[in-house]
Amino acid sequence: MTQIMLTSNGLFTDDIAANFLALFENDPEKMKVCIMTTASLQKEQNFYARKAQEDLVNLGFATVDFVDIEFDDATQLTNYHCIYINGGNPFYLLHHLKHSGADQVIRDLNDKQVLIGVSAGAMILGTNIEIAEFFTPDMNARNLQDLSGLKLVNLCLFPHSNREDLFKDPDGRTIAQRIDVFEKCYVCEITGLADDQFLII
């Protein structure tokens, strides 16, 4: 099975970066990474995409390319040792993953390849993104109906779970309180992921 790292904020800390590097059998200078920019309208000009590129280059990776499966051939993802799925709009990202066939390409990756999902890129690897519809329905401008994720991890993720500033509630409820409402309504369990946390599957 492909090795998977889930984060809210990419290689945000030295600990996250060290655990990321530990997923590879070979030295970074022998590895090729692509950053999937599809989730952001700014594509490769997105601040976080550029920051990810800088972080990966500083870690010593030989090749760090940008790939946008909205327009690029999804099969080129197989050419890379690591696919870094950058954040942005989870609905937009999920639509294009399924529309382009990249979802199946990612499911078929071999056990030597590494997949890192960041924010929205982590959410779509889970069972569904219904929690995004609950917190940020305005992001679903495409009116995406099928909110099922790629199901590569058996979790429903909520990135930035420590960022009350990002998810302000007019009723004054905290993120934890609203997640509790969601879990009771949908009879499920949400896995929160703070900006300095990560999961390796």
Side-chain angles (χ1 to χ4, degrees):
M1 177 182 175
T2 305
Q3 298 186 87
I4 299 173
M5 174 178 256
L6 306 170
T7 79
S8 280
N9 218 23
L11 305 175
F12 186 59
T13 68
D14 291 343
D15 186 43
I16 295 175
N19 278 274
F20 171 69
L21 284 175
L23 297 174
F24 298 91
E25 293 183 358
N26 294 318
D27 293 331
E29 60 265 23
K30 299 177 182 178
M31 300 288 180
K32 294 169 60 178
V33 183
C34 71
I35 300 169
M36 188 183 295
T37 62
T38 306
S40 170
L41 293 178
Q42 291 79 36
K43 306 298 186 182
E44 64 185 63
Q45 297 305 320
N46 174 270
F47 170 83
Y48 296 102
R50 289 290 178 181
K51 180 65 167 60
Q53 182 187 46
E54 179 184 337
D55 290 343
L56 291 162
V57 168
N58 288 341
L59 288 175
F61 285 91
T63 302
V64 183
D65 296 332
F66 292 113
V67 172
D68 179 10
I69 50 91
E70 181 177 359
F71 301 105
D72 298 331
D73 183 356
T75 60
Q76 70 178 279
L77 296 174
T78 61
N79 298 329
Y80 294 91
H81 300 97
C82 175
I83 300 170
Y84 184 111
I85 308 179
N86 203 40
N89 187 317
F91 303 97
Y92 198 79
L93 175 59
L94 189 59
H95 167 78
H96 285 294
L97 281 166
K98 294 178 178 179
H99 183 73
S100 67
D103 57 339
Q104 192 57 52
V105 172
I106 289 172
R107 289 189 183 99
D108 292 339
L109 293 176
N110 64 57
D111 60 3
K112 302 296 184 184
Q113 292 170 291
V114 172
L115 191 60
I116 174 169
V118 179
S119 191
M123 291 185 82
I124 56 88
L125 297 177
T127 55
N128 63 74
I129 61 167
E130 290 173 359
I131 189 70
E133 180 81 4
F134 183 76
F135 270 83
T136 54
D138 54 305
M139 294 186 77
N140 192 3
R142 303 189 68 94
N143 194 29
L144 193 66
Q145 298 297 308
D146 181 6
L147 301 182
S148 58
L150 273 58
K151 301 180 180 177
L152 290 178
V153 296
N154 190 29
L155 297 170
C156 186
L157 293 164
F158 186 80
H160 312 295
S161 59
N162 61 322
R163 295 290 305 279
E164 300 288 347
D165 58 310
L166 292 181
F167 305 103
K168 293 180 180 178
D169 182 52
D171 298 323
R173 296 173 299 176
T174 65
I175 290 173
Q177 287 170 330
R178 284 180 283 167
I179 286 177
D180 185 57
V181 170
F182 180 87
E183 289 177 329
K184 289 176 180 175
C185 181
Y186 287 86
V187 192
C188 67
E189 182 177 346
I190 298 298
T191 300
L193 207 56
D195 280 6
D196 60 352
Q197 293 180 316
F198 67 94
L199 291 172
I200 292 178
I201 309 297

